[in-house]
Amino acid sequence: MENRCATSNAVTCTKCLALGPECGWCAQEDFMADATQTGRCDTVFNLKKRGCQSDFVENPTVHVTIPSDHETNTQVTPGKVSVQLRPGSEANFILKVRPLEKYPVDLYYLVDVSASMHNNIEKLNSVGFALSKKMENISIDFRLGFGSYVDKTVSPYISIHPGRIHNQCSDYNLDCMPPHGYIHVLSLTDNIAEFRNAVNKQKISGNIDTPEGGFDAMLQAAVCQSHIGWRKEAKRLLLVMTDQTSHLALDSKLAGIVIPHDGNCHLKDNVYVKATSMEHPSLGQLSEKLIDNNINVIFAVQGSQFHWYKDLLPLLPGTVARQIESQAANLNDLVVEAYQKLISEVKIQVDNQIQDLNFNITAICPDGSKKTGMEGCKNVGYNEEVLFNVSVTMRGCHTTGGRKYVILKPIGFNETTIINVHKNCACQCGDSAKHKRVCADETSPFGEQSHCSDTNCNSNREILSSERCRRHQDQPICSGQGDCVDGKCFCYKNKLGKVYGKYCEMDDFSCPYHHGNLCSGNGECEAGKCKCFAGWEGDRCQCSSQSAKHCQNSKGQVCSGRGNCVCGKCECTDPRSFGRLCEYCPTCNSACEENWNCVQCHHPNNASQAILDQCKTSCTYMLHYIDQASECFSGRSYFRIFSIIFIVTFLIGLLTVLIIRQIILQWNSNKVKSSADYRVSTTKKIPLTRKSLAAQALRRGKKPKLQPLKPEEERNPDFSHFFDSRHTLNAFEERTEIHKRNSQWLTKVF
């Protein structure tokens, strides 16, 4: 087998130990005096064979320490373990789990109170007393609690019609309580009468979609320990009764709720107040909170949705699913059976994982079979012991700081095992007042040597030198791509290409490719960015520098000042513009308006220094093509604009007045004409007297022929028609005079 310790050419003790547990480092000062010696890193056996004294061989060992005192755990032992590891090493120990008989039990009923669960809620009234009697045989202390849930109180989950928002059952002539996300009704208690009283008062509610908000309620029941009253020493059971599926994470986006659930308790006056502002929890998040709080879940499902919950069991460790009969007739037996199944299963999982550590756990069941830790053992009886062989392997020292412990947690138990991990990533040269200890190879091409005298190799001097290997304080040493030796970075080799730079921050393989070529073949890769050769540009060096001229308009502007030139093509940055050179922009200001501030650049004598600086930065292109005689330099014609607006407004007003005048005159003319017609028609009705007839005849040149009056007419002439006609003529003349005066007044006005 190849000796990787000797062939690695490791030049530091730290690098040598990282190769594997079989490698050691000789810190003896005169070890390299013999020219035949090829290196300080080798197997421990070879180092001693080559003459290195045992006291100078750096080879940290693996230790597992289990404190024997102050053991407080009764079910999971040991409670604490201390492990010392080095890269590539492995440590093993045995973890024991023993379930106790007649364990205290906390059972919290979480009930779906939608209308379809009405019969099951009524059955709960008789469950409490009977269940407590059955649990006496398997528990020394049994407590019950109660809570209800429906769904998020927003559309489209509930009806927001004003007539139904407070009573979702109004269409069925039922009195329902308002919908709610989750309400904690009764904390855990051993008073069965109090439990039955709380259930008796419970009303049903409703919603309009099929799934319910069960996972929202489950998470709150798990994390709100002080509200629920979960006891640390008790076996915690959460019984979820429903007949429908539950909403999952992202479902709430239908209601515009996009804030992920934070996994915290949000009960105010025993009501969940974040139902309308936070999403439903994900299955992973719910599983984490159930395990963290040592809660086992029993899904008691009625109807066809039982298989939906059964399929979730592999994703929610420590849960069981049972199907309840009509009106929950088998609920008592269901709870007892589910509890016995949960208590007989022993599984384990790893919490608070640390990077670079790998855990391999094997369960040794009471019947002699072996399973993986997460699979665990089933049908474990009271006081039967399950053994877990825990193997911890350290892959490397790529991370420093962070967590220093790992938690092994049997699912459903309230006891854990804490593993404190100590990484030996650097050489511990040890104190020596008489001898110097060498922790770096002075014959290596890297130059300077490092000695340890009176302190170990992790002295403050080396710590300060390592800081010189950081480009920035918050960045890793040598950019995570090399080793720091006496303040200098020595970069790793990479099969993809070369890593280089003072801080190993550069390489020749991480830059973007174009048409299969790194930096299009027109540049070099430095620090992940292409450095283009002369005549090329772009983030991939894919564009010729000469292509920029294709983006200039006749005025010398690049993309008309409204875009960027990318490989000879304009990309308009102003959304209002378009065209090959972004030259079309109907809603943009004129060139004079856009460049008004640059006009002052043509009068530098009167300009301030700030304006001159602006000319150099923002108005450079304007200095080459603005015409001195253009309208931009003549000043803005505010008076001309005002005059035009005033004249147009005056003409429009004058035209309006003339139109109104003409309409009024036409109306008066029509009135006069109608009055004249009325006068003529009235005159025709006036009877003529003998004198009037004679007068008419004389005007015509004829001699009037007068008929003699009858004796009756001479004595009693009839003038009634004559007087009526005169009265009508007088009224007509008055109206005519009024119209005449109105016309004269309008003439003066207009």
Short mmCIF file of all heavy atoms in Angstrom, two decimals, residues 243-269:
data_model
loop_
_atom_site.label_atom_id
_atom_site.label_comp_id
_atom_site.label_asym_id
_atom_site.label_seq_id
_atom_site.Cartn_x
_atom_site.Cartn_y
_atom_site.Cartn_z
N ASP A 243 -61.25 14.77 9.49
CA ASP A 243 -61.77 13.94 8.40
C ASP A 243 -61.32 14.45 7.03
O ASP A 243 -61.80 13.97 6.00
CB ASP A 243 -63.29 13.85 8.45
CG ASP A 243 -63.96 15.21 8.30
OD1 ASP A 243 -63.24 16.24 8.35
OD2 ASP A 243 -65.19 15.26 8.13
N GLN A 244 -60.41 15.46 7.04
CA GLN A 244 -59.94 16.03 5.79
C GLN A 244 -58.43 16.20 5.83
O GLN A 244 -57.80 16.11 6.89
CB GLN A 244 -60.61 17.39 5.51
CG GLN A 244 -62.11 17.33 5.29
CD GLN A 244 -62.50 16.56 4.05
OE1 GLN A 244 -61.68 16.35 3.15
NE2 GLN A 244 -63.74 16.13 3.98
N THR A 245 -57.85 16.43 4.66
CA THR A 245 -56.42 16.67 4.58
C THR A 245 -56.09 18.05 5.16
O THR A 245 -56.98 18.81 5.52
CB THR A 245 -55.94 16.60 3.12
OG1 THR A 245 -56.64 17.58 2.36
CG2 THR A 245 -56.22 15.23 2.53
N SER A 246 -54.81 18.37 5.21
CA SER A 246 -54.37 19.65 5.75
C SER A 246 -53.62 20.42 4.68
O SER A 246 -52.98 19.84 3.80
CB SER A 246 -53.46 19.44 6.97
OG SER A 246 -53.02 20.67 7.49
N HIS A 247 -53.71 21.74 4.78
CA HIS A 247 -52.95 22.59 3.87
C HIS A 247 -51.46 22.43 4.15
O HIS A 247 -51.03 22.28 5.30
CB HIS A 247 -53.33 24.06 4.07
CG HIS A 247 -54.63 24.43 3.43
ND1 HIS A 247 -54.83 24.44 2.08
CD2 HIS A 247 -55.82 24.82 3.99
CE1 HIS A 247 -56.06 24.81 1.81
NE2 HIS A 247 -56.69 25.04 2.95
N LEU A 248 -50.66 22.51 3.08
CA LEU A 248 -49.21 22.44 3.19
C LEU A 248 -48.60 23.81 2.94
O LEU A 248 -49.29 24.76 2.56
CB LEU A 248 -48.66 21.44 2.17
CG LEU A 248 -49.18 20.00 2.29
CD1 LEU A 248 -48.68 19.17 1.12
CD2 LEU A 248 -48.75 19.37 3.60
N ALA A 249 -47.30 23.91 3.15
CA ALA A 249 -46.60 25.17 2.87
C ALA A 249 -46.81 25.57 1.42
O ALA A 249 -46.93 24.72 0.54
CB ALA A 249 -45.12 25.02 3.17
N LEU A 250 -46.89 26.86 1.19
CA LEU A 250 -47.12 27.50 -0.12
C LEU A 250 -48.59 27.54 -0.50
O LEU A 250 -48.96 28.30 -1.41
CB LEU A 250 -46.31 26.83 -1.24
CG LEU A 250 -44.79 26.72 -1.03
CD1 LEU A 250 -44.14 26.09 -2.25
CD2 LEU A 250 -44.19 28.07 -0.77
N ASP A 251 -49.46 26.72 0.14
CA ASP A 251 -50.89 26.81 -0.17
C ASP A 251 -51.44 28.19 0.13
O ASP A 251 -52.35 28.67 -0.55
CB ASP A 251 -51.67 25.76 0.63
CG ASP A 251 -51.53 24.37 0.04
OD1 ASP A 251 -50.82 24.25 -0.97
OD2 ASP A 251 -52.10 23.42 0.59
N SER A 252 -50.91 28.83 1.17
CA SER A 252 -51.45 30.11 1.60
C SER A 252 -51.16 31.23 0.62
O SER A 252 -51.70 32.33 0.76
CB SER A 252 -50.90 30.48 2.98
OG SER A 252 -49.51 30.34 3.01
N LYS A 253 -50.33 30.98 -0.39
CA LYS A 253 -50.11 32.01 -1.41
C LYS A 253 -51.39 32.29 -2.19
O LYS A 253 -51.52 33.34 -2.81
CB LYS A 253 -49.00 31.58 -2.36
CG LYS A 253 -47.60 31.73 -1.75
CD LYS A 253 -46.51 31.34 -2.71
CE LYS A 253 -45.14 31.76 -2.21
NZ LYS A 253 -44.83 31.29 -0.88
N LEU A 254 -52.34 31.35 -2.17
CA LEU A 254 -53.64 31.60 -2.80
C LEU A 254 -54.34 32.78 -2.15
O LEU A 254 -55.13 33.47 -2.79
CB LEU A 254 -54.52 30.35 -2.70
CG LEU A 254 -54.08 29.14 -3.53
CD1 LEU A 254 -54.92 27.93 -3.15
CD2 LEU A 254 -54.21 29.43 -5.01
N ALA A 255 -54.07 33.00 -0.88
CA ALA A 255 -54.69 34.12 -0.15
C ALA A 255 -53.75 35.32 -0.07
O ALA A 255 -54.04 36.27 0.66
CB ALA A 255 -55.08 33.67 1.25
N GLY A 256 -52.65 35.28 -0.79
CA GLY A 256 -51.71 36.41 -0.76
C GLY A 256 -50.81 36.42 0.46
O GLY A 256 -50.17 37.43 0.75
N ILE A 257 -50.73 35.30 1.19
CA ILE A 257 -49.87 35.21 2.38
C ILE A 257 -48.55 34.58 1.94
O ILE A 257 -48.51 33.42 1.53
CB ILE A 257 -50.54 34.37 3.49
CG1 ILE A 257 -51.89 34.97 3.86
CG2 ILE A 257 -49.65 34.27 4.71
CD1 ILE A 257 -52.69 34.13 4.83
N VAL A 258 -47.46 35.34 2.03
CA VAL A 258 -46.18 34.88 1.48
C VAL A 258 -45.06 34.83 2.52
O VAL A 258 -43.95 34.42 2.19
CB VAL A 258 -45.76 35.79 0.31
CG1 VAL A 258 -46.75 35.70 -0.82
CG2 VAL A 258 -45.60 37.24 0.75
N ILE A 259 -45.31 35.24 3.74
CA ILE A 259 -44.26 35.24 4.77
C ILE A 259 -44.11 33.82 5.32
O ILE A 259 -45.08 33.25 5.86
CB ILE A 259 -44.60 36.22 5.91
CG1 ILE A 259 -44.73 37.64 5.36
CG2 ILE A 259 -43.55 36.16 7.00
CD1 ILE A 259 -45.15 38.65 6.40
N PRO A 260 -42.94 33.19 5.22
CA PRO A 260 -42.77 31.83 5.75
C PRO A 260 -42.98 31.79 7.26
O PRO A 260 -42.73 32.77 7.97
CB PRO A 260 -41.32 31.49 5.38
CG PRO A 260 -40.95 32.45 4.30
CD PRO A 260 -41.72 33.70 4.57
N HIS A 261 -43.44 30.65 7.72
CA HIS A 261 -43.66 30.49 9.16
C HIS A 261 -42.33 30.49 9.89
O HIS A 261 -41.36 29.86 9.45
CB HIS A 261 -44.41 29.18 9.43
CG HIS A 261 -45.17 29.19 10.71
ND1 HIS A 261 -44.54 29.19 11.95
CD2 HIS A 261 -46.49 29.23 10.97
CE1 HIS A 261 -45.45 29.20 12.90
NE2 HIS A 261 -46.64 29.24 12.34
N ASP A 262 -42.25 31.20 11.02
CA ASP A 262 -40.99 31.31 11.76
C ASP A 262 -40.82 30.21 12.80
O ASP A 262 -39.79 30.14 13.47
CB ASP A 262 -40.88 32.68 12.43
CG ASP A 262 -42.02 32.96 13.41
OD1 ASP A 262 -42.85 32.06 13.63
OD2 ASP A 262 -42.09 34.09 13.93
N GLY A 263 -41.82 29.35 12.98
CA GLY A 263 -41.69 28.24 13.90
C GLY A 263 -41.83 28.60 15.37
O GLY A 263 -41.51 27.78 16.23
N ASN A 264 -42.30 29.80 15.67
CA ASN A 264 -42.43 30.24 17.05
C ASN A 264 -43.88 30.23 17.50
O ASN A 264 -44.81 30.10 16.71
CB ASN A 264 -41.85 31.66 17.21
CG ASN A 264 -40.37 31.71 16.93
OD1 ASN A 264 -39.63 30.76 17.24
ND2 ASN A 264 -39.90 32.79 16.34
N CYS A 265 -44.06 30.40 18.81
CA CYS A 265 -45.40 30.43 19.40
C CYS A 265 -46.01 31.82 19.20
O CYS A 265 -45.36 32.83 19.49
CB CYS A 265 -45.33 30.09 20.88
SG CYS A 265 -46.93 30.18 21.74
N HIS A 266 -47.26 31.86 18.73
CA HIS A 266 -47.94 33.14 18.49
C HIS A 266 -49.37 33.08 19.04
O HIS A 266 -50.33 33.38 18.34
CB HIS A 266 -47.96 33.47 17.00
CG HIS A 266 -46.61 33.70 16.41
ND1 HIS A 266 -45.86 34.83 16.68
CD2 HIS A 266 -45.86 32.93 15.58
CE1 HIS A 266 -44.71 34.76 16.03
NE2 HIS A 266 -44.69 33.62 15.36
N LEU A 267 -49.50 32.67 20.31
CA LEU A 267 -50.80 32.65 20.97
C LEU A 267 -50.97 33.92 21.79
O LEU A 267 -50.09 34.31 22.56
CB LEU A 267 -50.94 31.43 21.88
CG LEU A 267 -51.05 30.07 21.21
CD1 LEU A 267 -51.31 29.00 22.26
CD2 LEU A 267 -52.16 30.05 20.16
N LYS A 268 -52.10 34.58 21.61
CA LYS A 268 -52.46 35.74 22.40
C LYS A 268 -53.88 35.53 22.90
O LYS A 268 -54.81 35.41 22.11
CB LYS A 268 -52.37 37.02 21.56
CG LYS A 268 -52.63 38.29 22.35
CD LYS A 268 -52.45 39.53 21.50
CE LYS A 268 -52.68 40.80 22.31
NZ LYS A 268 -52.51 42.03 21.47
N ASP A 269 -54.03 35.48 24.22
CA ASP A 269 -55.31 35.14 24.82
C ASP A 269 -55.80 33.80 24.30
O ASP A 269 -57.00 33.61 24.00
CB ASP A 269 -56.36 36.23 24.56
CG ASP A 269 -55.97 37.57 25.18
OD1 ASP A 269 -55.29 37.55 26.22
OD2 ASP A 269 -56.33 38.62 24.62
#
